[in-house]
Structures are given as structure tokens and as C-alpha cells.
Amino acid sequence: MLINLHTFGESQTLCPGALQHLKIGQIHPFDYFCMQCTSSKITYMNNQIANLEPQAVWSHFASLLEIPRPSKKEARIIAYMKAFGENLGLETIVDEVGNVIIRKPASPGMEDRMGVILQGHLDMVPQKNSDTAHNFETDPIDAYIDGDWVTARGTTLGADNGMGVAATMAVLADKTMAHGPIEALFTIDEETGMTGAFNLQAGLLQGDILMNLDSEDEGELYVGCAGGLNANMRFSYHTVAVPPDHTAYKISVSGLKGGHSGMDIVLGRGNAIKVLNRFLYENKDLGLCLAWIDGGGLRNAIPREAFALVTLPKAQSAVLESRLATFAETACLELKTTEPDMNISMDQAPLPDTLIDQDSFDRMNKAVYACPNGVMRMSADMAGLVETSTNLAILKSKDGIIHIQSLLRSSVDTAKEDLAQMMQSVFDLAGAESVFDGGYPGWKPNPESPILHHMKEMYAQKYGKTPDIKAIHAGLECGILGAVYPHWDMISFGPTIRYPHSPDEKVHIASVGKFWDFLVDTLKNIPKKSAV
């Protein structure tokens, strides 16, 4: 039986077990819910988030928290956005791949202004800690307020790009805001292939200015981004019997921060795959054999965890245990600043049925050790900007195939191609197959952009300081969209988000207010269309 109490100005549903802990005025409302009432607790906290200021944005973001929307699983959010536009009485289009376009006419007196496309992506990165029980296809995000930030328990938050989507929804729903013609473009599958952007049809949109709301530092205006390329390598292997004198261990590397493989690559964080592979490489002399290996999960996230099941002669067990302790101490010392919580452990495990043949294990092990990873070159033109990087993102063995994937990024196309050739050379020597796909162009900065100059002046007038003008070492959809609509004047901005693509993702509450105010003022002051 559930009991309703009206406390702190709103109805709260409590289970009887929570009542014994209830002391009005002494316990935070969040604690009223016992752990068995997970759904009620999440809904309550999302309601708290909806009441943050500006409510016009946070209320929509709270709604997005309730809708599962991992990349390539966006059916629910597409349907939700379609209904959202139609319920507002606005022209709403869902194209062949699932992109949602909603048109809002200019407010009275603003019909002569340039048309603005507000653009964001509907999908989110589904990353969670290994000890977190969460199904991204069915469960709401368990978000909460942590001081000045909003974050989630053990999972990605979806502020990337949920905050941009929520702000666009707020613009569409507002009946008093002054603005010219607005088109909202909500793309799908940005995080795993930019499918929506790649398949957007020419001529479908009518606006003049694209405002991408997918960058993650308030007070900065972005005018360029890196292009990307997927590198897919595979080794074929056959299985062999486990020697009779062997014992098995599961090796685990966990506790790393991970993060966005573009924006966070410059931070020097550890790569769990690289750490694990190094340990295997340094202990091959003990007769180490590999049953399976599993590291990373998403091509655009720095791997936080990696695991392997190995066997070796029982007589070498004590040596391996001793070496692991030494290796863990060394690796943790090397990464003590960037990865203070890294954990490297070894647990005895049941013997596997089979092993990967030793030749395939050896070739994979050496190739992964030699595989480029991290920052390759910093930009000579923009201080602090990574020009070229690569993230060794996935390493998995299954059904006779060892699959390896890296995401290459560069703002210089020829440098990206050079890095691809470097990587292919390594894996060619190791006898692997290499396929490069999913390439997308960068967005070349235009220092003469009219919307850049307009927004730069507006920000300075509003906040008394000049915004930073930057390019981003990440894949925004602007480069792809600009190729389809070359006449667009493009810019990207957003609130402050930290650690996207990882369970540490969080959005700064106050920055959302500044981002929203600046967006509202920008739309109010959009330039008039040029006379023909």
C-alpha cells in the first residue's frame, strides 16, 4: 500500500517502509523513498530538476530524462518530438531516416528577419559503470542535483545533446518570445555515425543561419570542428584446447574516467585497453594464453574498463600475481594525476573451454601495443586546440574474430589520411584486415562569418566581456550539414557540460541560464534579410 503525503509543497508517494525514517525538516525529501521505489525516486528527482531556472529549458530536459534514447534506438524520442510539434500546432516533418523538423513562423513584426535553424541531435551516448544496473533502452536516467551541477547516478546524463534539444523545445513552445522564422532540426544517430546529418535532403530547410546547440562551454562560440574516420581492424583466430597443467585468471582494469574521445583526449587520461594489453605483453614469457578479451564499448568514448580471461601453467601463478602487483603500482604511479581511481586486479577463474590460438594472440597483442593512441599533433594555428588524434576505443574477441576499432579525428583532412595509413601499416604487418569507414568532413572556420561577428558583439554588450572564439576537436554535424546547405552561415554554442560520453557527465546549472538568455536575445536581434 502506498501512502501520499503533502510535504514541501507537492505530493510525494511514500512506501510504508520509508515512513519510519521520516522526520519532517530533518531528512531531505530525496531520502523519503526506499530503494525498492526506484521509479518513484527517479521521477521525483527529475521533477526537482524540472523546477530549476530557467524552467522553460529544464522542464523539457527533465522530460527527455524519462525517454530512453541511445544511439540507433531513437524510435521513442522521434515519436515524442513529432507529437510535441504537432501539439503546438506547428508544421512537423519526420524525414526518411527519422530526423524531425519543426517550423515556427516569425513572431509579429519579425517576418523580415533571416531564418534561423536551431539544430541538435536526439540520441545520447549509453555509457554506465559496470556496477550500475541500467538498461538504456527501457530505463529513465537517474539524474540528481549535485551542488551547482546536474549529473546522473552511474550513467551518462544525456546533457549531450539533451540541453540543446531542450532549449530548442523551449523556443518552439514560447508564445511571447520575439524571433524571426524558426526551423528546429533534430537529427538522429549523431553519436555513432551522424546518420541523420548524412541523410538530410537538400532543399528541405529554408533558413539562412544554422545555430548548432551542441558545444559544451558557455562563453565560447565555436566556428570549426574536426572531421573523423572509423578504423576497423579484425584478426581471425581458431580455438585450441586448454593445456592440462593450466590455471585461469580474470584480469581487470577499471575505475578510469574515460570521457569524450575528442574533447577529453588532450587530458592525458588512461586507456583501459592499452593498460591491459601492456600487462599481457609484458607477461607472455610466463606461457600466458588468452581465452577472451573485452575492452571499451563506444568508438567515441575513451575506454574506462577492459577485461581478459587468461590461463598459464600453475607453476607460474605466484609469479604472475607478484608481477601484477608490481605492474599495478607502476601504472597507477604513471597515471596518478589523471586516473587516481584506476584499479588493476586479478581473480582466479574457472578454466575456459578453449583458448585463442597463440599465433593470433601474439599478433593482436603486438599490433595493439604499437597502435597509435591519443594526441598526435596540436594545432599550430589555434592555441590549445588538438589538430589530430586517435582513440583506441574497442577491443573484443568473439566467435573467431578479434575486433578492434579506433576513431581518428583531425581538422586537417590530409593529416587524418596520414594517420589512417600509419594505423593500417601496423595492422597489415600483423596480418589483420583493415577497413576505414564512416568518414565525415571537418568544419572549416570562417573568420568573416556575419553571425559570428553579430553574436560576438551581442555577448560583449550583454556580459561585459568578449566570448572566446574557438574550434572544437570533436565531430559536430556542421561540416556535414554545411556541405548540403553551403549558403548557411553557421555557429555553435551551448551551456557548460563536463565529461560527456562518460558516467561522470554533468551540466553546470548557472551556465544553462546564461546560455538560454543569450539564445533568446540573439533570436530577438537576428539581422534582417538582405534586400534582393
Side-chain angles (χ1 to χ4, degrees), residues 229-237 273-274 293 299 363-365 367-373 390-398 400-408 419-437:
L229 182 66
N230 296 326
N232 307 279
M233 287 73 66
R234 51 185 282 163
F235 292 88
S236 298
Y237 67 86
I273 293 173
K274 279 285 194 176
I293 191 165
R299 84 196 210 298
R363 289 185 291 114
M364 177 278 292
N365 188 219
V368 171
Y369 208 120
C371 180
N373 181 71
T390 177
N391 174 53
L392 179 57
I394 298 171
L395 172 58
K396 295 181 185 292
S397 63
K398 187 177 181 182
I401 300 294
I402 300 172
H403 173 64
I404 301 161
Q405 187 174 58
S406 290
L407 176 55
L408 290 59
L419 178 56
Q421 292 173 168
M422 183 191 309
M423 191 169 292
Q424 182 163 7
S425 297
V426 169
F427 285 92
D428 280 352
L429 288 170
E433 300 175 22
S434 300
V435 175
F436 295 85
D437 62 15

Side-chain angles (χ1 to χ4, degrees), residues 33-51:
F33 299 93
C34 75
M35 294 308 294
Q36 295 177 348
C37 297
T38 304
S39 179
S40 296
K41 182 169 64 176
I42 292 174
T43 299
Y44 176 75
M45 288 311 297
N46 288 351
N47 287 341
Q48 297 298 98
I49 290 167
N51 289 325

Side-chain angles (χ1 to χ4, degrees), residues 237-243 246-251 276-277 280-281 284 287-294 307-312 352-365 368 395-398 401-402:
Y237 67 86
H238 63 270
T239 57
V240 297
V242 180
H246 274 216
T247 188
Y249 290 93
K250 181 181 178 182
I251 314 296
L276 174 62
N277 189 75
L280 300 180
Y281 183 88
K284 295 287 287 294
L288 209 63
C289 300
L290 180 66
W292 55 260
I293 191 165
D294 186 348
F307 309 93
L309 183 66
V310 301
T311 72
L312 77 165
D353 294 331
T354 58
L355 298 170
I356 295 172
D357 72 274
Q358 203 65 13
D359 176 64
S360 298
F361 173 30
D362 185 59
R363 289 185 291 114
M364 177 278 292
N365 188 219
V368 171
L395 172 58
K396 295 181 185 292
S397 63
K398 187 177 181 182
I401 300 294
I402 300 172

Side-chain angles (χ1 to χ4, degrees), residues 34 52 123 191 231 266 275 345 388 395 433 502:
C34 75
L52 292 170
D123 59 318
E191 299 290 6
V266 73
V275 173
S345 61
T388 306
L395 172 58
E433 300 175 22
S502 85

